[in-house]
Amino acid sequence: GENVEQHPSTLSVQEGDSAVIKCTYSDSASNYFPWYKQELGKRPQLIIDIRSNVGEKKDQRIAVTLNKTAKHFSLHITETQPEDSAVYFCAASITGGGNKLTFGTGTQLKVEL
Amino acid sequence: GAGVSQSPRYKVAKRGQDVALRCDPISGHVSLFWYQQALGQGPEFLTYFQNEAQLDKSGLPSDRFFAERPEGSVSTLKIQRTQKEDSAVYLCASSSQGGGGTEAFFGQGTRLTVV
């Protein structure tokens, strides 16, 4: 089955700096890659997603890049703010193939003032 | 409208007790998923429904775990003879389409503690 690895497990940045979180996946059939943000004690919420027919997607301060050949994808957050502090999870799935999401182990992002 | 709702929010069970966790998905959502999230880990897939059909139950850890969605809306995850290793947050998610590749909306989860 699919295996998703995520790095780093913790990331501390100064407010205004950029943050990058990287994930790799094992199943070349995976074609949908969402990123979720989870604040302490709260539900995971989708922040951005990308499909395998696209190499990059951007939404304001957040961008995701996908390299299908290398089977890795990354989340980029620019101009970080304290409210960006949370745990971020990457995930991968195969549309039409059961649709279940396989998650990474999460990255605890801390944005310091 | 309301998001995905789960109840109870917290459940403490004595080892050996049976528990039932409820999920109310977003109205009209075709797909419903159950995930288990251990402390400090990512959610792990348990089972998937498309309407009332359980299409994938490959993630259920043992035959003590059972899920149903009899009318294609509300779902219940039942755990029989709970064990300490069952302690986790159980997340339900729903999405509008059956083909995948669409946003999965998560509930706030049920935190199960087995003592």
Side-chain angles (χ1 to χ4, degrees):
Chain A
E2 175 66 281
N3 181 52
V4 176
E5 295 190 355
Q6 183 172 347
H7 301 279
S9 57
T10 60
L11 179 58
S12 184
V13 299
Q14 294 292 314
E15 183 180 9
D17 286 351
S18 295
V20 180
I21 302 170
K22 298 182 179 182
C23 290
T24 60
Y25 61 98
S26 61
D27 192 338
S28 57
S30 289
N31 56 3
Y32 175 65
F33 307 92
W35 286 87
Y36 282 84
K37 176 183 180 182
Q38 187 174 31
E39 297 178 30
L40 189 63
K42 297 192 175 181
R43 71 188 76 199
Q45 292 193 299
L46 181 75
I47 55 170
I48 196 167
D49 57 13
I50 192 167
R51 290 167 177 75
S52 60
N53 58 346
V54 176
E56 183 174 359
K57 184 176 178 181
K58 192 172 182 181
D59 183 4
Q60 298 182 32
R61 297 186 297 109
I62 294 172
V64 58
T65 58
L66 171 66
N67 183 326
K68 285 168 48 181
T69 303
K71 290 189 282 190
H72 68 70
F73 56 114
S74 300
L75 177 72
H76 304 252
I77 306 174
T78 59
E79 301 171 22
T80 53
Q81 302 167 3
E83 51 266 38
D84 294 330
S85 296
V87 179
Y88 291 81
F89 293 99
C90 61
S93 74
I94 304 170
T95 58
N99 309 320
K100 65 184 180 185
L101 293 171
T102 301
F103 285 86
T105 49
T107 296
Q108 174 76 61
L109 173 64
K110 183 177 180 181
V111 180
E112 298 176 335
L113 296 171
Chain B
V4 178
S5 178
Q6 292 187 245
S7 61
R9 287 291 314 279
Y10 304 92
K11 176 68 180 177
V12 178
K14 290 185 178 179
R15 191 171 56 180
Q17 277 187 332
D18 298 349
V19 298
L21 313 180
R22 178 187 170 104
C23 173
D24 282 87
I26 294 172
S27 178
H29 275 198
V30 169
S31 295
L32 186 146
F33 304 83
W34 284 97
Y35 291 86
Q36 180 189 61
Q37 187 174 26
L39 190 64
Q41 299 295 315
E44 291 198 356
F45 172 80
L46 294 176
T47 188
Y48 162 63
F49 291 86
Q50 186 170 322
N51 297 307
E52 69 278 4
Q54 188 175 21
L55 299 187
D56 188 346
K57 54 181 180 179
S58 62
L60 296 177
S62 77
D63 58 9
R64 296 186 295 104
F65 287 71
F66 171 77
E68 60 183 4
R69 193 186 186 199
E71 297 180 356
S73 55
V74 171
S75 177
T76 304
L77 176 67
K78 298 179 179 178
I79 308 173
Q80 296 178 321
R81 305 182 302 281
T82 52
Q83 303 295 313
K84 286 198 172 183
E85 60 263 30
D86 300 335
S87 296
V89 174
Y90 290 85
L91 293 166
C92 175
S94 70
S95 64
S96 59
Q97 297 179 24
T102 54
E103 181 175 358
F105 293 85
F106 282 83
Q108 289 198 297
T110 294
R111 181 177 296 278
L112 173 65
T113 303
V114 181
V115 297

